[in-house]
Amino acid sequence: MSELHFEHESLPQRVCFASGEARAMLARVVARLKGSRVMVIASARDADRATQITADLPVVHRHTEVAMHVPVQTAKRARAAAGEHDVDVLVCLGGGSAIGLAKAIALTTGIPIVAVPTTYAGSEATTVWGLTEDGHKTTGVDPRVLPWAVIYDAELTMSLPVPMSVASGLNAVAHCMDSMWGPRADPIDRAVAQEGIRALSIGLPQIVADPGGLGGREQVLYGAYLAGVAFSSAGSGLHHKICHVLGGTYNLPHAQTHAVVLPYVLAFNTPAAPEAANRIATALGSTDALDGLQELRQRLGAPKALRDYGFDASNIDAAGAAILSVVPNNNPRPVTTGDLHRLLYGAWQGTDPTTITYDTESRR
Ligand code: NAD
């Protein structure tokens, strides 16, 4: 009987990796695109760096209005600016918020994006867009929002503070782990995700030990890219469904929420997903997936409890109900209301995930 049976779509994208060379790489990539009217998107905090690395480009507009989760009104103003200036290439520098704004413009205009990421969120490698209106986040998938090229220059991530680097890096680890059992997960996604976890688990402790060192930052950027690639193909698994509800409805910080919730999902799913558990453990250099993750989190001083990030325990039941309606059918283990209550309560309190007992039997 055939053991390998899948359909995998590889996304077309140029990926350039060279620390300290963002300016030269941008010039080459924009020339290749024959860009003659460039719009640069970077928050006010990044404006100086953006000016430096885009100095050789034909810039017609610099846009600094960048906000987390891309509010619809922010997107409308950015689209209007792109139209007014007859822009033919979008260059964005920053984290998922700056890249998200470029994606919002590309979604309605098809203008190609060149992304220069400065966090480990991985949005640059995905076809996923997101917009927020009246506290409600809508996401969708569209090939037009995939950046045409990505330029990774680890020197641009040096300024990312260690706690944010840790949370953002664990957000990337979460992309990899959820790619093991996402709704479209295939063997290619799992292989890419495994290499992503390996690189992230090597690089993150190096950043904590030596925040000014380049090696750890490069490993984590490389891992974050692989995480985005795997996640874009595999789709949102249980972990992302949980974090999407928590972030979107209760306005919790994106990266920290992922960092807290991940061990709870891993403890829940891995008993029913032995291949994933094995790959994760191997990638972490451990004999057990959860032990490996917890050791890594310990070394990094990772975020521990949702109550530290503004989540109120009185919202657990409503959040659980919202999550239950979107849990993927192929999750390795069936999920009940009671399971989600225990998982969320544990994550709210920062309980040891191995001590939580769930309703559902694992299928092992
Ligand atoms: P972000 O872009 O908002 O950045 C977080 C903070 O770090 C900001 O204050 C930013 O100014 C600062 N920052 C960024 N780079 C820095 C640097 N090098 N030095 C110092 N400070 C720096 O947040 P994020 O975590 O990168 O991205 C989160 C957003 O991206 C969310 O809206 C999330 O939904 C979205 N996202 C989308 C996808 C996708 O596939 N579409 C994937 C992941 C995340």
Side-chain angles (χ1 to χ4, degrees):
M1 202 179 81
S2 154
E3 286 183 8
L4 281 180
H5 185 269
F6 62 89
E7 228 177 282
H8 177 90
E9 187 184 358
S10 297
L11 299 177
Q13 186 176 64
R14 176 168 294 268
V15 179
C16 319
F17 211 106
S19 299
E21 295 178 27
R23 180 172 171 172
M25 286 192 292
L26 263 176
R28 274 205 301 276
V29 166
V30 171
R32 211 175 244 274
L33 267 172
K34 299 191 170 45
S36 60
R37 302 188 63 79
V38 173
M39 172 165 166
V40 177
I41 298 169
S43 69
R45 192 192 60 80
D46 286 324
D48 288 348
R49 297 202 285 187
T51 304
Q52 283 164 18
I53 65 166
T54 57
D56 305 324
L57 305 183
V59 177
V60 291
H61 177 60
R62 292 185 182 276
H63 203 82
T64 55
E65 190 200 357
V66 171
M68 183 81 110
H69 303 313
V70 196
V72 165
Q73 294 307 324
T74 309
K76 278 189 181 157
R77 285 189 285 275
R79 286 169 181 158
E84 247 166 59
H85 295 278
D86 197 16
V87 165
D88 61 8
V89 174
L90 302 165
V91 170
C92 54
L93 167 87
S97 300
I99 296 168
L101 184 61
K103 286 180 161 183
I105 302 173
L107 182 65
T108 53
T109 62
I111 301 173
I113 301 172
V114 179
V116 188
T118 63
T119 70
Y120 311 123
S123 175
E124 65 279 5
T126 82
T127 51
V128 180
W129 56 267
L131 286 166
T132 311
E133 190 164 29
D134 300 329
H136 181 75
K137 187 166 179 179
T138 309
T139 59
V141 174
D142 194 306
R144 280 180 304 179
V145 308
L146 180 75
W148 188 83
V150 186
I151 290 174
Y152 287 110
D153 178 344
E155 285 191 2
L156 298 172
T157 64
M158 292 289 198
S159 50
L160 196 63
V162 168
M164 185 61 202
S165 301
V166 165
S168 188
L170 286 169
N171 182 192
V173 173
H175 286 145
C176 294
M177 293 190 177
D178 227 19
S179 297
M180 297 286 177
W181 44 61
R184 299 182 303 276
D186 64 41
I188 296 177
D189 303 334
R190 295 190 186 104
V192 170
Q194 184 171 344
E195 170 64 357
I197 296 169
R198 188 199 62 77
L200 290 160
S201 68
I202 288 174
L204 282 168
Q206 288 179 20
I207 293 179
V208 171
D210 177 19
L214 199 58
R217 301 271 180 189
E218 287 184 337
Q219 285 296 325
V220 176
L221 260 189
Y222 165 63
Y225 165 70
L226 296 175
V229 169
F231 176 64
S232 189
S233 172
S236 289
L238 177 62
H239 174 84
H240 278 78
K241 295 297 184 189
I242 293 173
C243 293
H244 183 83
V245 168
L246 295 178
T249 312
Y250 304 100
N251 205 23
L252 304 191
H254 181 83
Q256 290 84 348
T257 303
H258 279 269
V260 170
V261 170
L262 187 58
Y264 297 93
V265 174
L266 203 63
F268 183 79
N269 265 354
T270 47
E275 189 209 329
N278 198 11
R279 279 187 180 274
I280 293 169
T282 305
L284 291 168
S286 173
T287 51
D288 179 84
L290 183 61
D291 288 351
L293 177 65
Q294 294 296 58
E295 269 165 38
L296 177 66
R297 286 170 43 81
Q298 176 87 23
R299 287 172 77 189
L300 302 176
K304 286 201 177 85
L306 292 177
R307 63 179 169 190
D308 299 336
Y309 295 95
F311 186 57
D312 195 303
S314 64
N315 291 320
I316 286 177
D317 286 336
I323 294 162
L324 194 64
S325 65
V326 292
V327 171
N329 291 332
N330 74 326
N331 192 60
R333 190 171 175 174
V335 183
T336 66
T337 304
D339 290 337
L340 285 172
H341 180 91
R342 286 184 200 98
L343 190 152
L344 289 173
Y345 189 77
W348 172 78
Q349 206 175 26
T351 316
D352 175 353
T354 60
T355 62
I356 304 174
T357 320
Y358 291 104
D359 282 341
T360 52
E361 290 281 316
S362 85
R363 290 197 203 115
R364 184 142 66 166

